[in-house]
Amino acid sequence: MNIKHSELILNPNGSIYHLNLLPEDISTDIIFVGDQDRVDKVTAHFDSIDFTTQKREFKTTTGTYKGKRLSVISTGIGPDNIDIVLNELDALVNINLETRQIKEKHTALNIVRIGTSGSLQTDIPVDSFLLSSHALDINGMLHSYQVEEIAHPEMEQAFIKHTNWSSKKCEPLVIANGEKLAEKIASEITFKGITATAGGFYGPQGRVLRLPLQDANLNSKIDSFNFNSNRITNLEMETSAIYGLSKLLGHNAVSMNAIIANRANGTFSENPGKVVANLIKYTLDKLVE
């Protein structure tokens, strides 16, 4: 059965709607960054650049680094943007855009997020790297899909009980990373842990300007959660969506976090740009090993 034009939207040149990409424009090894300006900071290390395009906040550049073809894509901020990016990337490799039919042979993408994050634990300092072993979804986007097979019910229920989670909020969901890809990248990473993914920057992450919070103590509850030695180490806005959609669509994903703030002790990196630059080079070299 053909996928309807209203569901799979293409531009006049046949490219996928938001990303403005054709299948040949991307590699199967892809780096996600949030900031469109960070795409050039990654590709500055490339030996050659074959293709680049941008539509809205979604900038894509494909080229070669040490003989390996890689694509770098800016996703913008938040899980809603990840929903667009991952579904459209999957369509590029697993749907025939001309016939609008799902391909018989599945293609798996390798996706590495390089992003900034704030540590929730006093022993994870600014200027360090952290690999997300799991993601804790507290924003609800993934519940639009059938998530039972990727969930971790015991850990989720423990978190709900520990935080006295409001029944008016979406039910938390825990998703693991892509294990084989994580093993490839993690050899020199000191810190690993659960990354909580919020749907906003202020209230959803416990920040107060003029609006009071539904649960003023939620951050401290998150900080103190521990399930079989798994603790929540950091908080950001994309990882759970990347992990969840990648699992559901049959792709491999790992989130690499440059820790530029420590929410537990109130510190912020004196040179966050350097931390991100170091993480970019580390990740690129791991991908070509």
Side-chain angles (χ1 to χ4, degrees), residues 4 6-7 46 49 94 110 147 207 226 235 237 257 269-270 277:
K4 295 178 182 179
S6 60
E7 311 304 294
F46 282 15
I49 291 175
N94 288 312
N110 296 311
V147 296
R207 292 183 172 92
N226 192 302
L235 185 60
M237 295 179 62
N257 303 272
S269 173
E270 294 183 1

Side-chain angles (χ1 to χ4, degrees), residues 8 11-12 42 45 52 54 71 77 92 97 100 128 137 148 159 164 166 170 176 182 206 210 222 268-269 288:
L8 176 62
N11 296 310
V42 178
H45 297 278
T52 189
Q54 180 167 0
S71 295
I77 298 174
L92 288 174
L97 300 186
R100 295 179 169 272
S128 60
D137 186 285
E148 291 75 18
F159 177 81
N164 191 26
S166 171
C170 64
R210 292 204 310 118
I222 290 174
F268 193 85
S269 173
V288 300

